Amino acid sequence: MSPPAIIAPSILSADFASLGAECSKTIDDGADWLHVDIMDGHFVPNMTFGPPVVSKIRSHVKRPGEQTGKGTFDCHMMILEPQKWVVPLQKAGCDLYTFHYEAAISSTASTDPVYTSAEKTSPQALTRFIHENGMLAGIAIKPDTPVDVLWPILANEHKEEVPDMVLIMTVHPGFGGQKFMPSQLPKVTSLRNVYPDLNIEVDGGLAEGTIDQAADAGANVIVAGSAVFGAMDPAAVIAKLREAVERRRGGGGGESADRHKDSGGDDDGGGMDASLIDPGEKLPGMRIHEQGAGSGDAVGISVAD
């Protein structure tokens, strides 16, 4: 059985004039996490906010009593230098620090926003640093990045270097209100078939009209922005999103690829079809069903709504 449904409304769609109250109310309406989109204007062509704002809204939302518990701040770091901001975000109240693979393979190993470093970081080193600072780690990939890049990262035998959650972007990161991209869902299905206990997040264009496709593919962490914050009855929308995921728990994502094609999405998500993997066959850089991030201790990632 896949992990429970986690509904993480994106505060990018909240009323910033009363952000603290909006965040508190959304948790009261039934949300599990808050998805906090942090953009630097370089990694993506948009800017949002940083640690001072996270610190302020943290005072309006009780910290989770356990990892991935209610009130988790799922900070989606759409920034060029993700390692520099681990410590400031931890101090501000972040619980799950989700960085982009694309940034981690090209950024520095500096651990201070003020200084730079000639040394480069990596997804594995960054994940370890996040864990050392007491947070869960999520790794996100953009639509143009194939899922194949994640297999050696998730199969790492050093558990401290294995992300707790994977975020599959179903829009191009940077702006809310974009159209949902069903072509990205085969990535979710591939991950779910190999890692049944992994928290897999989808972000971008999720609403009542697209949640069934995401749930069929195997996603259990659902980011939705305007669908929640713009609703007349946010609690009812959150309940519907949760019910769609819970109905499919344990069903895997086996039927999803055909449904994505039928819905008009191209099956160009990239990567192998994990449903075709022979469990007895040892593939390079992969350990089938031995993912250290499982057991429900997810950490995950995203932008947009």
Side-chain angles (χ1 to χ4, degrees):
M1 180 176 290
S2 59
I6 295 172
I7 309 303
S10 169
I11 68 171
L12 198 62
S13 296
D15 180 357
F16 275 38
S18 53
L19 190 54
E22 287 264 282
C23 291
S24 178
K25 179 181 181 301
T26 302
I27 293 294
D28 290 342
D29 282 340
D32 302 293
W33 298 356
L34 290 177
H35 189 78
V36 183
D37 289 316
I38 297 179
M39 310 179 205
D40 64 359
H42 298 285
F43 182 75
V44 293
N46 196 6
M47 297 177 67
T48 54
F49 44 77
V53 172
V54 175
S55 179
K56 288 296 183 182
I57 62 174
R58 180 81 273 179
S59 66
H60 291 263
V61 178
K62 185 178 179 181
R63 295 294 295 259
E66 58 185 3
Q67 287 188 335
T68 74
K70 192 174 183 68
T72 290
F73 276 16
D74 167 25
C75 293
H76 180 193
M77 307 302 294
M78 289 167 274
I79 61 176
L80 275 182
E81 295 287 345
Q83 189 152 315
K84 286 187 175 185
W85 293 95
V86 169
V87 174
L89 262 295
Q90 187 276 330
K91 291 179 178 179
C94 173
D95 303 295
L96 171 58
Y97 191 98
T98 300
F99 63 89
H100 268 267
Y101 165 85
E102 300 87 356
I105 60 172
S106 59
S107 56
T108 71
S110 174
T111 59
D112 189 310
V114 177
Y115 303 104
T116 188
S117 170
E119 182 183 353
K120 296 293 184 180
T121 190
S122 67
Q124 294 87 343
L126 179 51
T127 297
R128 182 176 64 249
F129 186 61
I130 294 166
H131 286 151
E132 289 171 351
N133 279 275
M135 294 182 290
L136 293 174
I139 186 168
I141 57 173
K142 294 180 177 182
D144 291 338
T145 301
V147 72
D148 290 18
V149 303
L150 297 176
W151 299 127
I153 295 170
L154 294 171
N156 192 337
E157 294 185 357
H158 300 285
K159 301 302 183 184
E160 69 277 9
E161 296 182 351
V162 177
D164 304 285
M165 182 181 80
V166 170
L167 168 59
I168 300 298
M169 294 300 301
T170 48
V171 297
H172 291 284
F175 291 93
Q178 298 180 61
K179 185 179 178 181
F180 176 72
M181 298 171 66
S183 61
Q184 300 306 301
L185 295 180
K187 298 178 183 179
V188 176
T189 302
S190 292
L191 288 164
R192 177 60 69 214
N193 285 340
V194 178
Y195 295 112
D197 299 323
L198 178 65
N199 279 328
I200 302 175
E201 185 174 52
V202 285
D203 180 13
L206 274 301
E208 293 179 63
T210 53
I211 183 59
D212 285 340
Q213 295 176 67
D216 280 342
N220 72 297
V221 184
I222 308 299
V223 177
S226 58
V228 173
F229 284 101
M232 292 293 293
D233 187 350
V237 173
I238 291 170
K240 289 178 181 178
L241 296 175
R242 185 186 310 283
E243 196 234 344
V245 175
E246 288 296 335
R247 278 203 317 265
R248 293 160 174 82
R249 285 184 66 198
E255 66 184 72
S256 59
D258 289 338
R259 291 191 51 153
H260 308 328
K261 291 177 182 177
D262 293 342
S263 67
D266 296 327
D267 190 5
D268 62 354
M272 75 182 96
D273 181 355
S275 67
L276 301 179
I277 296 173
D278 180 353
E281 179 183 0
K282 193 75 169 181
L283 298 180
M286 181 182 295
R287 293 180 294 109
I288 305 300
H289 294 263
E290 296 179 11
Q291 151 65 339
S295 71
D297 291 345
V299 177
I301 337 157
S302 119
V303 154
D305 72 78

